[in-house]
Amino acid sequence: VAQFFDSTDSHTNNWAVLVCTSRFWFNYRHIANTLSMYRTVKRLGIPDSHIILMLADDVACNPRNSYPAAVYDHPRKTTDLYGDNVEVDYRGYEVTVENFIRLLTGRVPTDTPRNKRLLTDDKSNVFIYMTGHGGEDFLKFQDSEEINSYDIADAFEQMREKQRYREILFVIDTCQANTMYSKFYSPNILSIGSSRKGENSYSHFHDYDLGVSVIDRFTYYNLEFFESVDMSTKQTMEELVSTYNTTLIGSHPGIRTDLFARKLSETYLTDFFGAVQNIELTTDIFPIGQPETAKKH
């Protein structure tokens, strides 16, 4: 039996943790960023049971929203990101630094429901996406507290010690985003940020009906690439990052690979963004469910 379950290098499941840390109507684009990423990972096969969605505000029901119960990431309004099939796991004032750290490390109260738990193991690839207002080595939560790069680095190390991941893809869209992964030290983490130290991360597509910008540039151009991708794609992370155009994005995205064991050219997008159904095989025969031989009297 030990041989059957012994597969130390296998990858059997994907999870996504999608975090919008901003409140208030004028931060509409941050909610749209997160919901757009949520729609993408679901379309590529990750089920809601393996997605943790954290939204610090509910702009869909904001009285300023001239399109009630809807959120859009483009002025053409072709796709309602909120729709009828969005499962928000942490909303409003539940989106805190403490709850985020507890989620990653598994240190949640015993009465925490399943949808608020990150039930990963040592065969899990975890995609973590964060967006909001930030600066050098920090990201604001709710405009009232901050998480810094050391907090996230230490949380990832706890995850490693507790065998809560196989590989992590960390993506962050905020001002000076690349500083947020500068303190990471745990193995098998691939990090991508939207802007260098000292750079802003810019919004995209101002909607005059809503009076706000509806998405950020870095997230938009990532999503534009993913629109041509499906569950069966063999496209790699290298192909994704090669599309980054600093003129269009308005900043210099960063990619940190020194902690990551694989080459980007050998890392499929679906290793993090899609469903995984790997099967472990063995040539041994196990007598599962066979009746015991009758004893002679």
Side-chain angles (χ1 to χ4, degrees):
V1 175
Q3 177 189 345
F4 185 82
F5 291 102
D6 183 21
S7 183
T8 56
D9 192 42
S10 67
H11 165 212
T12 61
N13 61 96
N14 283 348
W15 285 75
V17 179
L18 313 175
V19 188
C20 168
T21 66
S22 294
R23 292 189 68 79
F24 309 122
W25 175 251
F26 57 82
N27 291 319
Y28 182 107
R29 66 189 183 279
H30 295 151
I31 287 86
N33 287 348
T34 312
L35 288 174
S36 297
M37 199 62 72
Y38 171 80
R39 173 181 172 272
T40 296
V41 297
K42 282 191 69 173
R43 181 176 61 80
L44 293 177
I46 301 182
D48 267 314
S49 60
H50 282 208
I51 302 173
I52 306 295
L53 180 58
M54 308 180 78
L55 295 181
D57 203 353
D58 188 0
V59 298
C61 298
N62 191 296
R64 298 185 187 181
N65 191 354
S66 52
Y67 299 88
V71 177
Y72 298 99
D73 61 0
H74 197 288
R76 289 198 298 264
K77 301 178 179 65
T78 54
T79 304
D80 178 7
L81 302 173
Y82 214 70
D84 300 321
N85 194 26
V86 173
E87 294 185 15
V88 183
D89 303 294
Y90 290 79
R91 67 172 69 242
Y93 290 111
E94 292 179 327
V95 182
T96 64
V97 172
E98 179 181 353
N99 282 345
F100 177 63
I101 295 296
R102 286 185 178 276
L103 172 74
L104 295 181
T105 60
R107 300 177 183 275
V108 295
T110 56
D111 60 349
T112 301
R114 188 188 187 285
N115 71 301
K116 294 179 182 287
R117 295 174 182 262
L118 185 65
L119 301 175
T120 53
D121 55 35
D122 61 342
K123 298 178 182 180
S124 303
N125 278 7
V126 186
F127 167 49
I128 300 174
Y129 172 83
M130 304 185 77
T131 184
H133 288 291
E136 184 179 349
D137 287 312
F138 75 88
L139 179 68
K140 287 185 179 181
F141 269 65
Q142 305 275 6
D143 208 35
S144 62
E145 59 176 344
E146 299 171 356
I147 190 170
N148 63 49
S149 54
Y150 294 95
D151 295 329
I152 300 177
D154 291 342
F156 286 170
E157 176 61 14
Q158 287 188 50
M159 291 179 72
R160 184 198 65 79
E161 292 172 351
K162 299 172 72 174
Q163 297 186 331
R164 289 178 57 79
Y165 75 88
R166 175 179 178 269
E167 293 175 333
I168 289 176
L169 171 61
F170 178 78
V171 178
I172 183 166
D173 189 351
T174 187
C175 296
Q176 306 190 63
N178 301 352
T179 64
M180 288 299 292
Y181 57 68
S182 61
K183 304 304 185 294
F184 293 175
Y185 55 93
S186 304
N188 298 322
I189 300 176
L190 174 61
S191 304
I192 301 176
S194 61
S195 52
R196 289 176 180 169
K197 177 180 176 180
E199 287 185 336
N200 293 325
S201 184
Y202 291 100
S203 61
H204 198 37
F205 291 140
H206 186 84
D207 188 310
Y208 291 94
D209 292 337
L210 298 171
V212 291
S213 297
V214 292
I215 196 168
D216 281 321
R217 293 187 185 186
F218 175 73
T219 295
Y220 172 79
Y221 286 109
N222 275 281
L223 295 170
E224 184 179 58
F225 179 87
F226 276 108
E227 284 303 306
S228 62
V229 170
D230 60 27
M231 295 183 192
S232 61
T233 186
K234 294 298 183 183
Q235 290 177 286
T236 65
M237 290 299 301
E238 183 177 62
E239 291 174 84
L240 170 63
V241 300
S242 68
T243 66
Y244 293 165
N245 185 318
T246 57
T247 301
L248 294 175
I249 295 173
S251 58
H252 293 79
I255 301 95
R256 182 177 177 189
T257 61
D258 61 300
L259 298 173
F260 197 63
R262 293 190 288 157
K263 296 179 180 179
L264 296 186
S265 60
E266 299 171 354
T267 305
Y268 293 122
L269 294 175
T270 49
D271 286 349
F272 291 99
F273 293 94
V276 175
Q277 295 180 333
N278 291 342
I279 299 173
E280 299 175 1
L281 302 176
T282 178
T283 57
D284 292 345
I285 298 174
F286 298 102
I288 298 176
Q290 295 182 6
E292 295 183 7
T293 305
K295 296 180 179 179
K296 295 182 179 180
H297 296 283

